[in-house]
Amino acid sequence: MIGSKSKRKQAKLSPNQSKTRAWLFTWLDVLAIGAWGILMLRYWLTGKLNLLIHPDYFWLVISGGIGLIIIAASKAWELLRRRRNSGTATQHVTLFPPGISSSLLLVTAIIGMTFTPRVFASQTALDRGVTDSLGATRAQPQAFRSARNPEERSLLDWVRTLNVYPEPDAYTGQSAKVQGFVIHPPELPPEYILISRFVITCCAADAYPVGLPVKLSSSRQAYPPDTWLEIEGTMMTDTLAGKRQLTIQATSLTQIAEPENPYEY
């Protein structure tokens, strides 16, 4: 019934009206394609692309954005040339009524330009499950190279080290200096926090949190969730939630700004 009504409406249009309608829909395609190309390059130029995808795949997004802009520009040139020659717009078949799919793409691109991607927060980390191990089912990002001095290891370096040799007593007394955001796991005592970072192996959809418990000298209420800290201390073995874990005995906690690139790779 809907298809027959649409055909009756189109039958009422004059040839000139049909030509103008098709021309406008084709321009909508051009705008949608160009907007997505601009969106991809905008994320790259504003430094927000690293919130969405691993740097190894930046070239795909950049080349895709440039390609879409070239396609949109060439299509626009073709439409203007045909318009000057009084030609008809190219007809194409879609699953949706004319203009719907292009409108959806254009609106989505505009929304992407309006809103800035947000960094994953502590609640997302709790929902996805923070671990001190990369796990056999997770892709292990980049090659593992342990820092010569323990205090030079990043949080991810410590997690990788534990993944190779998980006995926490082997690291007792070693110095640590790591950066990450604060999590308040409900199963930990009030004088403990988790210091955590998200790891991206491909894109934000597969990002997962890793972290280590930190023992404080006072209540964790002084360090709200999602606060970024640089923590210095020494490694110790502690039993938390019935499990022996490598824990940082904090000697210094310094609040820092969220890094430009908050994710690990």
Side-chain angles (χ1 to χ4, degrees):
M1 292 295 292
I2 296 176
S4 61
K5 288 181 181 179
S6 178
K7 289 180 180 178
R8 284 198 296 270
K9 287 181 180 179
Q10 291 180 4
K12 295 177 183 178
L13 297 175
S14 67
N16 285 336
Q17 288 176 322
S18 297
K19 185 191 299 183
T20 301
R21 189 166 181 254
W23 186 78
L24 290 174
F25 284 145
T26 307
W27 268 109
L28 190 60
D29 293 343
V30 172
L31 290 175
I33 293 171
W36 270 96
I38 293 171
L39 177 63
M40 291 179 178
L41 294 182
R42 181 175 180 270
Y43 279 151
W44 170 52
L45 293 172
T46 57
K48 299 301 181 183
L49 193 56
N50 58 357
L51 301 182
L52 302 173
I53 196 168
H54 193 285
D56 286 352
Y57 305 105
F58 278 13
W59 69 271
L60 284 173
V61 177
I62 296 168
S63 58
I66 294 173
L68 289 175
I69 290 175
I70 291 173
I71 292 172
S74 62
K75 189 65 176 178
W77 172 255
E78 180 186 350
L79 286 173
L80 292 173
R81 183 176 56 81
R82 290 189 178 188
R83 190 68 170 177
R84 285 197 299 267
N85 297 333
S86 300
T88 57
T90 303
Q91 299 290 332
H92 55 275
V93 179
T94 63
L95 295 176
F96 301 102
I100 294 296
S101 55
S102 296
S103 297
L104 290 174
L105 287 172
L106 182 58
V107 170
T108 306
I110 292 173
I111 292 174
M113 294 180 191
T114 304
F115 296 96
T116 302
R118 300 289 299 275
V119 179
F120 288 134
S122 60
Q123 187 56 52
T124 306
L126 289 173
D127 293 341
R128 297 193 179 189
V130 187
T131 178
D132 60 2
S133 174
L134 295 177
T137 59
R138 283 172 168 159
Q140 298 190 16
Q142 299 183 1
F144 171 66
R145 295 181 179 87
S146 179
R148 181 176 301 175
N149 298 316
E151 60 270 19
E152 295 177 358
R153 293 174 183 155
S154 67
L155 185 60
L156 182 56
D157 288 334
W158 277 108
V159 172
R160 286 172 173 163
T161 302
L162 280 171
N163 210 55
V164 174
Y165 189 72
E167 173 51 55
D169 287 344
Y171 313 102
T172 298
Q174 293 188 10
S175 299
K177 183 178 181 181
V178 298
Q179 295 181 348
F181 62 90
V182 174
I183 300 177
H184 289 182
E187 68 274 11
L188 294 187
E191 68 273 15
Y192 288 83
I193 62 171
L194 271 183
I195 192 73
S196 182
R197 297 287 288 262
F198 273 93
V199 180
I200 286 185
T201 56
C202 180
C203 63
D206 63 27
Y208 61 90
V210 296
L212 291 173
V214 179
K215 186 174 183 180
L216 309 174
S217 57
S218 58
S219 173
R220 63 189 179 190
Q221 298 307 316
Y223 307 100
D226 300 319
T227 303
W228 280 83
L229 296 176
E230 181 176 85
I231 297 176
E232 296 182 53
T234 56
M235 289 300 188
M236 57 176 282
T237 301
D238 210 343
T239 301
L240 301 170
K243 177 184 175 184
R244 292 174 65 251
Q245 290 184 265
L246 185 64
T247 303
I248 303 174
Q249 173 69 65
T251 56
S252 172
L253 295 95
T254 305
Q255 185 169 343
I256 60 174
E258 180 183 291
E260 184 178 344
N261 186 0
Y263 297 141
E264 294 275 15
Y265 304 110

